[in-house]
Amino acid sequence: MKVIKISVVFLSLVLLSTSYSQISISLGPVVGYTSPSGDYSGTPQEYYNGTNYGLSGGIHFGAMARVKIPFLSGRLSVLYASLSNDGSTGSGTGQTVEVKHKLLTIAIGPEFFFSLPAVPIRPYAGIDLLFTSFSGETIFQGTSAVPSGTSSMSSASRTGLGLGIGVNVGFGKKFSLDAGIKYNMHNLFGKEFKGGNNRIDSYTSLNDDKDPLFASGDDKHFIASDRSISTIQFNLGFLFDF
């Protein structure tokens, strides 16, 4: 609900700003590639052992709205990404795991532009407040410690920050391409652990905090520390100016 309210406020400011000639508005779709980093990357074996999430990169898509004034702009983006990976659990022959995560991220924040003389190219840097919703599933096969089959992950939300740089290239008066790279720290706030008395329970929630019942050598309570969820995003936007 908080995310919806922030989005409504931002879009209301966009509409109100149309009455000022010095302010411009850009809207359009965004596509790109999301690469997990830190604890969010790794191997399926590391995911099984509870150290990393073991995910590989994937395509993302969404939309972006930008309000520009001299030397500064505000941006709202909504992006959906699907990440996955599969392989051996490392616990025996024929024992495999496939992990899938889906991320819906809403980002809002300021951007600072640097104009270049005589060319329609504007480099920028920005910082975003992130609201990310996570969902997914895990598929085990042949692993004795957990039942074979698909286990859904309960949805969870986290708050974080994103840092980015990019360049906006204008074509005519109404169209521009926006290329950028961002480093997102999705779970700076809100980490938690939800588990149970069986090993499979540790895979059915996001569980980015330490298992409070962790004990060395315990096969059921094996997540020893909190885990950071970060991604690197490469974005390409096709924006129409109003």
Side-chain angles (χ1 to χ4, degrees):
M1 183 63 66
K2 182 187 297 183
V3 173
I4 295 175
K5 289 180 179 179
I6 292 174
S7 301
V8 169
V9 170
F10 183 89
L11 292 176
S12 297
L13 291 174
V14 169
L15 294 175
L16 289 173
S17 68
T18 57
S19 60
Y20 297 91
S21 59
Q22 72 272 25
I23 297 178
S24 63
I25 304 166
S26 301
L27 299 170
V30 178
V31 296
Y33 184 81
T34 295
S35 177
S37 65
D39 297 337
Y40 207 42
S41 61
T43 66
Q45 181 176 348
E46 289 174 317
Y47 172 69
Y48 178 74
N49 292 334
T51 55
N52 287 30
Y53 286 92
L55 290 162
S56 294
I59 301 298
H60 66 252
F61 60 89
M64 179 173 68
R66 174 183 281 144
V67 177
K68 293 182 290 186
I69 60 177
F71 307 109
L72 178 65
S73 73
R75 182 174 69 170
L76 169 70
S77 66
V78 181
L79 297 178
Y80 172 84
S82 180
L83 310 178
S84 65
N85 201 3
D86 63 271
S88 172
T89 64
S91 55
T93 303
Q95 300 186 32
T96 63
V97 59
E98 181 179 6
V99 56
K100 301 178 181 179
H101 276 197
K102 298 176 182 178
L103 292 71
L104 179 64
T105 301
I106 296 178
I108 184 170
E111 292 176 325
F112 301 90
F113 278 87
F114 309 92
S115 298
L116 299 177
V119 293
I121 299 175
R122 302 212 308 167
Y124 64 85
I127 182 171
D128 291 325
L129 182 62
L130 305 179
F131 303 93
T132 306
S133 175
F134 298 86
S135 60
E137 62 183 23
T138 304
I139 304 172
F140 286 105
Q141 294 294 335
T143 303
S144 58
V146 293
S148 294
T150 301
S151 298
S152 297
M153 186 182 80
S154 300
S155 60
S157 298
R158 297 290 186 269
T159 304
L161 293 175
L163 304 173
I165 58 174
V167 60
N168 186 266
V169 183
F171 295 90
K173 297 181 179 181
K174 295 294 184 179
F175 177 71
S176 63
L177 288 177
D178 189 280
I181 180 172
K182 284 184 61 181
Y183 177 69
N184 297 317
M185 299 165 283
H186 294 275
N187 67 334
L188 289 179
F189 310 101
K191 294 179 182 178
E192 63 178 352
F193 183 89
K194 294 180 179 180
N197 294 322
N198 298 298
R199 185 182 183 94
I200 189 64
D201 296 327
S202 293
Y203 302 109
T204 55
S205 295
L206 188 61
N207 286 340
D208 47 352
D209 205 358
K210 174 183 177 179
D211 186 341
L213 300 179
F214 169 78
S216 180
D218 191 333
D219 194 46
K220 296 180 180 179
H221 302 281
F222 54 93
I223 297 179
S225 61
D226 63 352
R227 297 179 286 182
S228 63
I229 299 177
S230 55
T231 60
I232 299 173
Q233 288 184 330
F234 303 89
N235 298 309
L236 182 63
F238 305 88
L239 304 181
F240 299 90
D241 301 332
F242 297 88

